[in-house]
Amino acid sequence: MTLRDADSKENIEAYLARNQGLSFVAVDSNVIVAAVLAGTDGRRGYLQHLTVSLGHQSKGIGRQLVESVVCALDRYGISKTHLFVHHSNNNAQQFYQKMGWFPRDEVRMFSYNSSLNVEV
C-alpha cells in the first residue's frame, strides 16, 4: 500500500462521504487491526487500499473485508471492481488471485498530475 499526499485526512473524509457504506474496518479488543477503502464512480467499483496489521494477517480478515466491499458494491448494482497492485508486491497479487481476481494485462494505467506536487 502506498500512501500519498492525496491520502490526507481531509481527502479521505471527503472520499468516505461520497462513498458511504463501502469502506470497512476490522476491530480486535477495541483496536483497528485492518481497514479497506473502496468507492465507486457509479459504474465500476474501486478498491483503493487494504491493510491488515502484521499480527492479524493470514487469519481471513483481509478476505472478509474484500468480500464486504464486493457485497456493498453489489447492493449499488456494481458488479465489476478494479484495484491496483504494485508490480513488485507478489504477496498482494497472490492474495487477490486466490480470491478470484485476475490481472488485466491488456490495459495500461495512465496518470495525469495537474499539481506541482509529485506525491499526490
Side-chain angles (χ1 to χ4, degrees):
M1 184 167 89
T2 300
L3 294 177
R4 304 262 185 195
D5 292 348
D7 295 309
S8 69
K9 182 178 187 246
E10 296 78 20
N11 286 352
I12 296 298
E13 287 174 349
Y15 186 88
L16 291 170
R18 283 190 308 271
N19 292 283
Q20 293 183 23
L22 298 177
S23 297
F24 303 92
V25 297
V27 178
D28 183 20
S29 301
N30 294 323
V31 175
I32 294 174
V33 297
V36 64
L37 179 68
T40 181
D41 61 9
R43 192 173 144 269
R44 298 285 189 246
Y46 295 91
L47 198 156
Q48 302 291 345
H49 294 300
L50 170 66
T51 187
V52 179
S53 66
L54 289 176
H56 289 81
Q57 291 179 2
S58 299
K59 296 181 179 181
I61 297 170
R63 175 182 288 275
Q64 289 176 342
L65 289 175
V66 171
E67 289 171 352
S68 294
V69 166
V70 170
C71 287
L73 286 164
D74 191 52
R75 288 192 291 275
Y76 281 90
I78 307 296
S79 58
K80 184 179 269 188
T81 304
H82 302 298
L83 58 84
F84 301 97
V85 177
H86 285 284
H87 284 284
S88 61
N89 192 340
N90 293 323
N91 289 338
Q93 292 177 44
Q94 290 173 5
F95 169 77
Y96 289 114
Q97 287 178 348
K98 284 180 187 174
M99 292 189 66
W101 295 69
F102 55 93
R104 297 282 307 269
D105 296 329
E106 77 278 10
V107 296
R108 173 167 275 181
M109 186 179 100
F110 285 82
S111 295
Y112 177 80
N113 184 355
S114 63
S115 168
L116 295 176
N117 182 351
V118 297
E119 293 299 321
V120 292

